[in-house]
């Protein structure tokens, strides 16, 4: 089981460092659970410092495909590795919705990050309109088909209508989508979309749910710990 916390644009360096010291012992108490946090760029170093020798891993929320160059606002895999960052999210729906991320740029980001030695969590998922139009499978097929096959690649199924909305897919809906993603790719599949301590156990108990990508609830140490505990029970 993998539980990854996406802090989005929350927790500046000072707060991130303090929070990291609070959660650094989590993996010792959670057998069978890998714990990842994804701070904003400016808090990566502080989080790593706060975690010390902890087994909690730090991923970036994005990564560029070139090693360096005139790409304002971006950071490359070698730059992240130099800090001690060991992975990156790619293709989060907020990147796709607000920053023009496409399946092609997601592919480029994932491929070069993996090649450079990072782990990758690639996010896929349909919008409410796409689901209503009966296009869920078509969308997932399009988004998953560009992802490389690699032992360090993990897919996060995040229905866009469930992200930050409090609307969670039921465990059955999640299972149905996960088993479809599994039919397309052999990577582990995390569920994301309003995962909270109250619904985590039901989602993580599904046979094709290999963990969770947690946004809002990962910002609170007790909530995040409760979700990790649910994962340990399901592991
Ligand atoms: C996310 O940011 O990937 C996410 C799933 O957010 P939330 O848990 O807040 O819905």
């Amino acid at each position: 089981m993998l539980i990854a916390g996406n802090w989005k644009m929350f927790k500046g360096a000072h707060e991130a460092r303090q929070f990291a010291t609070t959660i650094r012992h989590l993996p010792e108490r959670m057998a069978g659970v890998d714990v990842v946090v994804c701070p904003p760029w400016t808090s990566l170093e502080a989080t790593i410092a706060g975690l010390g020798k902890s087994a909690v891993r730090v991923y970036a929320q994005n990564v560029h495909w070139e090693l360096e160059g005139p790409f304002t606002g971006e950071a490359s895999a070698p730059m992240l590795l130099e800090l001690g960052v060991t992975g990156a999210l790619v293709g989060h729906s907020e990147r796709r919705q607000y920053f023009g991320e496409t399946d092609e740029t997601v592919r480029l980001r994932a491929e070069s990050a993996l090649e450079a030695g990072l782990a990758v969590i690639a996010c896929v998922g349909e919008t409410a309109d796409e689901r209503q139009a009966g296009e869920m499978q078509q969308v997932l097929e399009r988004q998953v088909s560009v992802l490389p096959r690699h032992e360090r690649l993990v897919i996060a199924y995040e229905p866009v209508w469930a992200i930050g909305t409090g609307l969670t897919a039921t465990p059955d809906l999640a299972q149905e989508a996960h088993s479809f993603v599994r039919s397309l790719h052999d990577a582990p599949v995390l569920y994301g979309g309003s995962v909270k301590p109250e619904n985590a156990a039901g989602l993580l108990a599904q046979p094709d749910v290999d963990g969770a990508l947690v946004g809002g609830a990962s910002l609170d140490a007790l909530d995040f710990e409760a979700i990790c505990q649910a994962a340990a029970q399901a592991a």
Side-chain angles (χ1 to χ4, degrees):
M1 285 274 166
L2 169 63
I3 301 295
N6 174 18
W7 295 355
K8 310 194 189 213
M9 201 170 72
F10 293 99
K11 297 196 191 297
H14 183 71
E15 189 186 342
R17 189 179 176 126
Q18 279 185 331
F19 190 84
T21 62
T22 312
I23 62 161
R24 73 176 160 204
H25 297 298
L26 268 184
E28 294 160 27
R29 304 200 291 266
M30 311 287 169
V33 183
D34 290 325
V35 184
V36 165
V37 292
C38 309
W41 298 124
T42 56
S43 302
L44 288 167
E45 236 179 324
T47 305
I48 290 166
L51 287 171
K53 294 190 189 325
S54 167
V56 174
R57 285 173 283 147
V58 177
Y59 287 14
Q61 295 175 15
N62 203 0
V63 56
H64 197 264
W65 53 89
E66 294 290 348
L67 301 181
E68 59 181 9
F71 302 106
T72 304
E74 298 278 336
S76 72
M79 291 170 181
L80 295 172
L81 285 160
E82 192 180 329
L83 291 182
V85 170
T86 57
L89 301 179
V90 301
H92 190 278
S93 68
E94 286 152 14
R95 302 294 319 166
R96 294 181 192 259
Q97 265 181 302
Y98 308 132
F99 301 101
E101 199 77 66
T102 65
D103 293 331
E104 178 57 10
T105 56
V106 172
R107 179 184 71 78
L108 286 167
R109 290 180 196 278
E111 276 180 6
S112 72
L114 290 164
E115 200 175 315
L118 289 172
V120 167
I121 300 176
C123 306
V124 300
E126 81 287 358
T127 63
D129 286 350
E130 288 163 343
R131 178 168 272 267
Q132 261 151 30
E135 292 165 2
M136 180 192 85
Q137 293 201 344
Q138 216 176 307
V139 170
L140 291 179
E141 222 157 358
R142 198 192 69 225
Q143 295 177 341
V144 171
S145 66
V146 300
L147 300 176
R149 317 240 149 205
H150 196 285
E151 58 181 12
R152 287 195 306 277
L153 180 84
V154 169
I155 296 174
Y157 168 64
E158 300 206 300
V160 180
W161 47 270
I163 297 180
T165 59
L167 297 171
T168 321
T170 61
D172 285 349
L173 276 186
Q175 170 55 27
E176 190 191 333
H178 280 232
S179 107
F180 182 66
V181 171
R182 268 280 164 67
S183 72
L184 305 170
H185 203 292
D186 52 11
V189 188
L190 312 181
Y191 172 78
S194 297
V195 174
K196 308 280 177 221
E198 308 83 65
N199 58 28
L203 291 158
L204 294 167
Q206 298 306 306
D208 290 316
V209 175
D210 301 308
L213 179 53
V214 185
S218 73
L219 299 171
D220 180 280
L222 289 177
D223 283 355
F224 193 54
E225 177 169 353
I227 293 168
C228 291
Q229 237 148 20
Q233 265 149 28

